[in-house]
Amino acid sequence: MLKKARITVAFLISTQLVGCVNLGVQPWERDLLAKEEMALDSEGNDLGLDDHIYFSKEATSGGRAFAGGGCGCN
Amino acid sequence: MRQFLLSLLVIHISFTPLSLSFAQEMAAPDFAISNAQLPNKLSDLKGQVVYLDFWASWCKPCRKSFPWMNQMQHKYAGEGLQIIAINLDTEAALAKAFLDKVPAQIPIVYDPKGKVAKGYELLGMPSSYLIDKKGKIRFAHKGFFTRTEPLYEQELILLLNEKE
Amino acid sequence: MKKKLNISAALASATCALLHPYASANEMLEGWKIDTSLMYYGETDRVSAVEAVIAGQKDFGEEQLLSGKIVIDTLTGASATGAVAQLTAQTVSRPSGEGTYTVSPGETPLDDTFKDTRVQLDGQWTQPWSDVSRITTGLHLSTEHDYYSLGFNGSYAHDFYNKNTTLSAGLAYSYDVIKPEGGLPVPFATKTASINTSEDYDDNEDDESEDDDDDNDNYDNDERLGSSDNKSTVDVLFGLTQVMNRRMLMQFNLGFSEISGYSTDPYKVLSIVNEQGLTQSLVYENRPDSRTKTFAFWQTKYALDFGVVDFSYRFATDDWKVDSHTFDSRLRINLTDSSYLQPHFRYYNQSAAEFFHPFLMEGQVLPEFATADYRLGEMSAYTFGLKYGTKMDNGDELSFRLEYYQQSPKNAGFTEPGTLQDVDLYPSVKAVIAQVNYRF
């Protein structure tokens, strides 16, 4: 199961990267990234509540940090 | 000695926050304008001070920049200031929705494919360029902050007072 | 607009009062973005919780951000004690020593004295450091009747390549005090009043008469180490956010944690069973007083024409030998310009801690550390959820979320002696989560 998981993740990462030869965009091409739903912390309350549930019921905690992305303004 | 002064200049420039002052004056890249209120191309505006502002509907600080630009245009139009707002939305409809909420008393030029923006090598959104009467870029700003409004106004006055 | 301010004033005044008690509510609330949530979490026959969150954020202009959060939650119901189920009824004492309760045959022993209310406060301030970097500092406070936590955190973020790449580093420190009901148990000390009755279970009343003598003091007959202890946690986090293209954003985080101090759960026990699988006694558990954890987290967000795909994977490992994998995915489907539907799927699995034992065998030497808490055992879990959100004309957003969470503990390779083979030592835990959010 663990081995399968690792292979799946490696595959997913590589398929994502194949489509990106030049990483990044020009400042005026951030229209989609500027959308609220594209922010990494767009559902702050949900993520916080979920983290609390899973921290209480499982042995692992943590993971997310919220820097980067967005409209890149200022 | 010369190298020392040059490195001092480079260090000074790299530490200048928010506004980049070009050590050498760069000629403003020319582009065609299709707006009834303006001449056919940027270079036709030589003799006037031009403030070029690159904006988009999804850019939050742009909401603050428009009222200030409207104010500056009214104040200094008589002295030869022309502010032009260049829109970079991929769809004009989005820009129009923004303008319905944030009225603009300055002419808008549409650059949906970013061709003009590329020429100006924008570093962020919004970006503004102050072009003197000779057609050279003298000041470039990345972003818009209300606290720097007086500074930008000083730069406008400086350029307006120059002779052609 | 007026209505909006009144709601803000009513709900967020609690937050603002703490910061500046004498400022007028309206003045304080201008420019605040408030996100409120009310959540119900209910397990079948076990724990239920109701949690309320008020989170606020204010942009002071020039990239300075203040954010705060208040969380209040109440927990009720019963949770597994760690003792094994038996074919006959069992009588177990409560942690506080106040009375006993009876567990019916075949049932997993649950302790029902968990009625607790917790209040949590978080505050955070972000300040630009240069035109391409920011520093953030934060404070965290949490209090409940038997647990207190105080924490500080700080992080630095730097943008590169026109903000296409952001690197961040953060540090957090937390100091927790645990003051369990009934005091700290001695590791592996026998928990008194655990009697196997061979009579059929036909009495619904809890037997409280036996413990009348102990009502006067807070401790039961068990020996205690003291009334409270503490634990410190240091977290280090490194993050990289990268814009891949116009539609895609990725984040990679690497984190390390060092925990030292009291990590045992003072309410959990292990059953000592004989070769026939019959419980002889219950002993308190014991966990190591240090834990070093590492995790790697990767998340991707992709903007589709009709919504957003959000996928993340986290791998975690520690020196307690708990390894876990978490896959979390959300698909936002925009129904109209102002409403959306978002299905959610999460899969989790973990390996058992090195010192996890579902029970201990009579006559064998006691290990240094042992726990039967299923949350440190081998298990997999999945969550299925659906969220619906709608934006109103005034810009406020209302959303509803309904989720189903199932945990399936597994046998990590322990042979069950005698009658233990006939009981379920690894029951599934099923929970429903229902939540409503209002953002303005």
PDB file of all heavy atoms in Angstrom, chain B residues 91-115:
ATOM      1  N   GLU B  91     -10.243  39.866 -20.751  1.00  0.00           N
ATOM      2  CA  GLU B  91     -11.572  40.156 -21.297  1.00  0.00           C
ATOM      3  C   GLU B  91     -11.981  41.577 -20.940  1.00  0.00           C
ATOM      4  O   GLU B  91     -12.012  41.928 -19.764  1.00  0.00           O
ATOM      5  CB  GLU B  91     -12.606  39.192 -20.714  1.00  0.00           C
ATOM      6  CG  GLU B  91     -12.560  37.796 -21.305  1.00  0.00           C
ATOM      7  CD  GLU B  91     -13.324  36.828 -20.425  1.00  0.00           C
ATOM      8  OE1 GLU B  91     -14.476  37.118 -20.076  1.00  0.00           O
ATOM      9  OE2 GLU B  91     -12.731  35.802 -20.065  1.00  0.00           O
ATOM     10  N   ALA B  92     -12.332  42.361 -21.938  1.00  0.00           N
ATOM     11  CA  ALA B  92     -12.711  43.764 -21.713  1.00  0.00           C
ATOM     12  C   ALA B  92     -13.898  43.893 -20.767  1.00  0.00           C
ATOM     13  O   ALA B  92     -14.004  44.878 -20.033  1.00  0.00           O
ATOM     14  CB  ALA B  92     -13.008  44.434 -23.048  1.00  0.00           C
ATOM     15  N   ALA B  93     -14.760  42.889 -20.765  1.00  0.00           N
ATOM     16  CA  ALA B  93     -15.947  42.934 -19.897  1.00  0.00           C
ATOM     17  C   ALA B  93     -15.569  43.067 -18.434  1.00  0.00           C
ATOM     18  O   ALA B  93     -16.219  43.774 -17.668  1.00  0.00           O
ATOM     19  CB  ALA B  93     -16.780  41.676 -20.112  1.00  0.00           C
ATOM     20  N   LEU B  94     -14.489  42.402 -18.038  1.00  0.00           N
ATOM     21  CA  LEU B  94     -14.039  42.470 -16.638  1.00  0.00           C
ATOM     22  C   LEU B  94     -13.570  43.878 -16.303  1.00  0.00           C
ATOM     23  O   LEU B  94     -13.836  44.390 -15.217  1.00  0.00           O
ATOM     24  CB  LEU B  94     -12.903  41.469 -16.398  1.00  0.00           C
ATOM     25  CG  LEU B  94     -13.279  39.994 -16.521  1.00  0.00           C
ATOM     26  CD1 LEU B  94     -12.024  39.131 -16.585  1.00  0.00           C
ATOM     27  CD2 LEU B  94     -14.151  39.552 -15.369  1.00  0.00           C
ATOM     28  N   ALA B  95     -12.869  44.504 -17.274  1.00  0.00           N
ATOM     29  CA  ALA B  95     -12.388  45.871 -17.059  1.00  0.00           C
ATOM     30  C   ALA B  95     -13.572  46.812 -16.921  1.00  0.00           C
ATOM     31  O   ALA B  95     -13.584  47.680 -16.047  1.00  0.00           O
ATOM     32  CB  ALA B  95     -11.503  46.293 -18.223  1.00  0.00           C
ATOM     33  N   LYS B  96     -14.574  46.638 -17.765  1.00  0.00           N
ATOM     34  CA  LYS B  96     -15.749  47.518 -17.725  1.00  0.00           C
ATOM     35  C   LYS B  96     -16.494  47.365 -16.407  1.00  0.00           C
ATOM     36  O   LYS B  96     -16.968  48.340 -15.835  1.00  0.00           O
ATOM     37  CB  LYS B  96     -16.664  47.257 -18.928  1.00  0.00           C
ATOM     38  CG  LYS B  96     -15.949  47.567 -20.240  1.00  0.00           C
ATOM     39  CD  LYS B  96     -16.860  47.933 -21.399  1.00  0.00           C
ATOM     40  CE  LYS B  96     -16.091  48.643 -22.509  1.00  0.00           C
ATOM     41  NZ  LYS B  96     -15.397  47.706 -23.449  1.00  0.00           N
ATOM     42  N   ALA B  97     -16.569  46.131 -15.884  1.00  0.00           N
ATOM     43  CA  ALA B  97     -17.229  45.908 -14.592  1.00  0.00           C
ATOM     44  C   ALA B  97     -16.499  46.666 -13.494  1.00  0.00           C
ATOM     45  O   ALA B  97     -17.120  47.261 -12.614  1.00  0.00           O
ATOM     46  CB  ALA B  97     -17.262  44.419 -14.282  1.00  0.00           C
ATOM     47  N   PHE B  98     -15.183  46.670 -13.552  1.00  0.00           N
ATOM     48  CA  PHE B  98     -14.363  47.401 -12.577  1.00  0.00           C
ATOM     49  C   PHE B  98     -14.631  48.899 -12.692  1.00  0.00           C
ATOM     50  O   PHE B  98     -14.828  49.593 -11.696  1.00  0.00           O
ATOM     51  CB  PHE B  98     -12.885  47.094 -12.832  1.00  0.00           C
ATOM     52  CG  PHE B  98     -11.914  47.859 -11.966  1.00  0.00           C
ATOM     53  CD1 PHE B  98     -11.406  47.284 -10.814  1.00  0.00           C
ATOM     54  CD2 PHE B  98     -11.493  49.134 -12.313  1.00  0.00           C
ATOM     55  CE1 PHE B  98     -10.493  47.977 -10.015  1.00  0.00           C
ATOM     56  CE2 PHE B  98     -10.588  49.830 -11.518  1.00  0.00           C
ATOM     57  CZ  PHE B  98     -10.085  49.251 -10.366  1.00  0.00           C
ATOM     58  N   LEU B  99     -14.660  49.405 -13.931  1.00  0.00           N
ATOM     59  CA  LEU B  99     -14.837  50.841 -14.149  1.00  0.00           C
ATOM     60  C   LEU B  99     -16.227  51.318 -13.739  1.00  0.00           C
ATOM     61  O   LEU B  99     -16.416  52.489 -13.432  1.00  0.00           O
ATOM     62  CB  LEU B  99     -14.548  51.190 -15.616  1.00  0.00           C
ATOM     63  CG  LEU B  99     -13.082  51.015 -16.033  1.00  0.00           C
ATOM     64  CD1 LEU B  99     -12.933  51.074 -17.541  1.00  0.00           C
ATOM     65  CD2 LEU B  99     -12.193  52.048 -15.375  1.00  0.00           C
ATOM     66  N   ASP B 100     -17.186  50.394 -13.728  1.00  0.00           N
ATOM     67  CA  ASP B 100     -18.528  50.756 -13.250  1.00  0.00           C
ATOM     68  C   ASP B 100     -18.476  51.078 -11.763  1.00  0.00           C
ATOM     69  O   ASP B 100     -19.191  51.937 -11.276  1.00  0.00           O
ATOM     70  CB  ASP B 100     -19.513  49.602 -13.486  1.00  0.00           C
ATOM     71  CG  ASP B 100     -19.956  49.523 -14.933  1.00  0.00           C
ATOM     72  OD1 ASP B 100     -19.822  50.538 -15.650  1.00  0.00           O
ATOM     73  OD2 ASP B 100     -20.438  48.439 -15.352  1.00  0.00           O
ATOM     74  N   LYS B 101     -17.607  50.349 -11.057  1.00  0.00           N
ATOM     75  CA  LYS B 101     -17.518  50.554  -9.603  1.00  0.00           C
ATOM     76  C   LYS B 101     -16.504  51.637  -9.248  1.00  0.00           C
ATOM     77  O   LYS B 101     -16.649  52.343  -8.258  1.00  0.00           O
ATOM     78  CB  LYS B 101     -17.083  49.246  -8.907  1.00  0.00           C
ATOM     79  CG  LYS B 101     -18.164  48.192  -8.862  1.00  0.00           C
ATOM     80  CD  LYS B 101     -17.719  47.010  -8.009  1.00  0.00           C
ATOM     81  CE  LYS B 101     -18.285  45.709  -8.565  1.00  0.00           C
ATOM     82  NZ  LYS B 101     -17.335  44.610  -8.458  1.00  0.00           N
ATOM     83  N   VAL B 102     -15.433  51.713 -10.032  1.00  0.00           N
ATOM     84  CA  VAL B 102     -14.363  52.685  -9.768  1.00  0.00           C
ATOM     85  C   VAL B 102     -14.271  53.585 -10.998  1.00  0.00           C
ATOM     86  O   VAL B 102     -13.633  53.228 -11.985  1.00  0.00           O
ATOM     87  CB  VAL B 102     -13.012  51.978  -9.520  1.00  0.00           C
ATOM     88  CG1 VAL B 102     -11.939  52.989  -9.147  1.00  0.00           C
ATOM     89  CG2 VAL B 102     -13.141  50.911  -8.446  1.00  0.00           C
ATOM     90  N   PRO B 103     -14.933  54.734 -10.968  1.00  0.00           N
ATOM     91  CA  PRO B 103     -14.969  55.573 -12.181  1.00  0.00           C
ATOM     92  C   PRO B 103     -13.599  56.143 -12.533  1.00  0.00           C
ATOM     93  O   PRO B 103     -12.811  56.493 -11.649  1.00  0.00           O
ATOM     94  CB  PRO B 103     -15.951  56.686 -11.819  1.00  0.00           C
ATOM     95  CG  PRO B 103     -16.124  56.626 -10.349  1.00  0.00           C
ATOM     96  CD  PRO B 103     -15.637  55.314  -9.840  1.00  0.00           C
ATOM     97  N   ALA B 104     -13.342  56.212 -13.862  1.00  0.00           N
ATOM     98  CA  ALA B 104     -12.069  56.743 -14.338  1.00  0.00           C
ATOM     99  C   ALA B 104     -12.309  57.989 -15.163  1.00  0.00           C
ATOM    100  O   ALA B 104     -13.111  57.973 -16.100  1.00  0.00           O
ATOM    101  CB  ALA B 104     -11.353  55.703 -15.175  1.00  0.00           C
ATOM    102  N   GLN B 105     -11.590  59.068 -14.789  1.00  0.00           N
ATOM    103  CA  GLN B 105     -11.683  60.291 -15.583  1.00  0.00           C
ATOM    104  C   GLN B 105     -10.419  60.458 -16.405  1.00  0.00           C
ATOM    105  O   GLN B 105     -10.012  61.562 -16.754  1.00  0.00           O
ATOM    106  CB  GLN B 105     -11.917  61.503 -14.669  1.00  0.00           C
ATOM    107  CG  GLN B 105     -13.362  61.563 -14.204  1.00  0.00           C
ATOM    108  CD  GLN B 105     -13.478  61.708 -12.700  1.00  0.00           C
ATOM    109  OE1 GLN B 105     -12.667  62.378 -12.070  1.00  0.00           O
ATOM    110  NE2 GLN B 105     -14.481  61.074 -12.125  1.00  0.00           N
ATOM    111  N   ILE B 106      -9.787  59.339 -16.673  1.00  0.00           N
ATOM    112  CA  ILE B 106      -8.578  59.328 -17.494  1.00  0.00           C
ATOM    113  C   ILE B 106      -8.809  58.320 -18.615  1.00  0.00           C
ATOM    114  O   ILE B 106      -9.544  57.366 -18.434  1.00  0.00           O
ATOM    115  CB  ILE B 106      -7.342  58.909 -16.652  1.00  0.00           C
ATOM    116  CG1 ILE B 106      -7.687  57.692 -15.779  1.00  0.00           C
ATOM    117  CG2 ILE B 106      -6.853  60.075 -15.814  1.00  0.00           C
ATOM    118  CD1 ILE B 106      -6.557  57.202 -14.941  1.00  0.00           C
ATOM    119  N   PRO B 107      -8.178  58.538 -19.769  1.00  0.00           N
ATOM    120  CA  PRO B 107      -8.412  57.604 -20.879  1.00  0.00           C
ATOM    121  C   PRO B 107      -7.859  56.210 -20.610  1.00  0.00           C
ATOM    122  O   PRO B 107      -6.806  56.052 -19.987  1.00  0.00           O
ATOM    123  CB  PRO B 107      -7.695  58.264 -22.058  1.00  0.00           C
ATOM    124  CG  PRO B 107      -6.772  59.253 -21.478  1.00  0.00           C
ATOM    125  CD  PRO B 107      -7.303  59.661 -20.165  1.00  0.00           C
ATOM    126  N   ILE B 108      -8.600  55.204 -21.092  1.00  0.00           N
ATOM    127  CA  ILE B 108      -8.191  53.808 -20.918  1.00  0.00           C
ATOM    128  C   ILE B 108      -7.748  53.246 -22.267  1.00  0.00           C
ATOM    129  O   ILE B 108      -8.412  53.455 -23.279  1.00  0.00           O
ATOM    130  CB  ILE B 108      -9.365  52.932 -20.405  1.00  0.00           C
ATOM    131  CG1 ILE B 108     -10.121  53.599 -19.262  1.00  0.00           C
ATOM    132  CG2 ILE B 108      -8.884  51.529 -20.052  1.00  0.00           C
ATOM    133  CD1 ILE B 108      -9.488  53.510 -17.908  1.00  0.00           C
ATOM    134  N   VAL B 109      -6.630  52.534 -22.255  1.00  0.00           N
ATOM    135  CA  VAL B 109      -6.142  51.843 -23.446  1.00  0.00           C
ATOM    136  C   VAL B 109      -6.167  50.360 -23.115  1.00  0.00           C
ATOM    137  O   VAL B 109      -5.777  49.960 -22.025  1.00  0.00           O
ATOM    138  CB  VAL B 109      -4.693  52.305 -23.792  1.00  0.00           C
ATOM    139  CG1 VAL B 109      -4.093  51.429 -24.879  1.00  0.00           C
ATOM    140  CG2 VAL B 109      -4.695  53.762 -24.202  1.00  0.00           C
ATOM    141  N   TYR B 110      -6.645  49.526 -24.051  1.00  0.00           N
ATOM    142  CA  TYR B 110      -6.760  48.092 -23.769  1.00  0.00           C
ATOM    143  C   TYR B 110      -5.591  47.316 -24.373  1.00  0.00           C
ATOM    144  O   TYR B 110      -5.315  47.434 -25.572  1.00  0.00           O
ATOM    145  CB  TYR B 110      -8.106  47.562 -24.267  1.00  0.00           C
ATOM    146  CG  TYR B 110      -9.261  48.126 -23.481  1.00  0.00           C
ATOM    147  CD1 TYR B 110      -9.877  49.314 -23.875  1.00  0.00           C
ATOM    148  CD2 TYR B 110      -9.697  47.509 -22.300  1.00  0.00           C
ATOM    149  CE1 TYR B 110     -10.912  49.866 -23.123  1.00  0.00           C
ATOM    150  CE2 TYR B 110     -10.725  48.056 -21.552  1.00  0.00           C
ATOM    151  CZ  TYR B 110     -11.334  49.237 -21.960  1.00  0.00           C
ATOM    152  OH  TYR B 110     -12.346  49.775 -21.218  1.00  0.00           O
ATOM    153  N   ASP B 111      -4.940  46.540 -23.567  1.00  0.00           N
ATOM    154  CA  ASP B 111      -3.787  45.732 -23.998  1.00  0.00           C
ATOM    155  C   ASP B 111      -3.999  44.293 -23.507  1.00  0.00           C
ATOM    156  O   ASP B 111      -3.236  43.785 -22.693  1.00  0.00           O
ATOM    157  CB  ASP B 111      -2.494  46.336 -23.402  1.00  0.00           C
ATOM    158  CG  ASP B 111      -1.236  45.601 -23.828  1.00  0.00           C
ATOM    159  OD1 ASP B 111      -1.237  44.966 -24.901  1.00  0.00           O
ATOM    160  OD2 ASP B 111      -0.234  45.658 -23.071  1.00  0.00           O
ATOM    161  N   PRO B 112      -5.039  43.612 -24.001  1.00  0.00           N
ATOM    162  CA  PRO B 112      -5.393  42.289 -23.471  1.00  0.00           C
ATOM    163  C   PRO B 112      -4.316  41.221 -23.649  1.00  0.00           C
ATOM    164  O   PRO B 112      -4.250  40.287 -22.865  1.00  0.00           O
ATOM    165  CB  PRO B 112      -6.667  41.903 -24.228  1.00  0.00           C
ATOM    166  CG  PRO B 112      -6.671  42.762 -25.444  1.00  0.00           C
ATOM    167  CD  PRO B 112      -5.948  44.005 -25.101  1.00  0.00           C
ATOM    168  N   LYS B 113      -3.452  41.367 -24.662  1.00  0.00           N
ATOM    169  CA  LYS B 113      -2.437  40.341 -24.848  1.00  0.00           C
ATOM    170  C   LYS B 113      -1.131  40.710 -24.151  1.00  0.00           C
ATOM    171  O   LYS B 113      -0.173  39.962 -24.204  1.00  0.00           O
ATOM    172  CB  LYS B 113      -2.195  40.097 -26.347  1.00  0.00           C
ATOM    173  CG  LYS B 113      -3.442  39.613 -27.073  1.00  0.00           C
ATOM    174  CD  LYS B 113      -3.157  38.430 -28.003  1.00  0.00           C
ATOM    175  CE  LYS B 113      -4.456  37.754 -28.403  1.00  0.00           C
ATOM    176  NZ  LYS B 113      -5.086  38.460 -29.552  1.00  0.00           N
ATOM    177  N   GLY B 114      -1.088  41.861 -23.538  1.00  0.00           N
ATOM    178  CA  GLY B 114       0.096  42.258 -22.781  1.00  0.00           C
ATOM    179  C   GLY B 114       1.277  42.680 -23.624  1.00  0.00           C
ATOM    180  O   GLY B 114       2.407  42.666 -23.154  1.00  0.00           O
ATOM    181  N   LYS B 115       1.037  43.070 -24.887  1.00  0.00           N
ATOM    182  CA  LYS B 115       2.158  43.413 -25.779  1.00  0.00           C
ATOM    183  C   LYS B 115       2.873  44.670 -25.290  1.00  0.00           C
ATOM    184  O   LYS B 115       4.103  44.728 -25.261  1.00  0.00           O
ATOM    185  CB  LYS B 115       1.643  43.644 -27.208  1.00  0.00           C
ATOM    186  CG  LYS B 115       1.232  42.364 -27.901  1.00  0.00           C
ATOM    187  CD  LYS B 115       0.953  42.584 -29.382  1.00  0.00           C
ATOM    188  CE  LYS B 115       0.212  41.385 -29.963  1.00  0.00           C
ATOM    189  NZ  LYS B 115      -0.671  41.793 -31.076  1.00  0.00           N
TER     190      LYS B 115
END
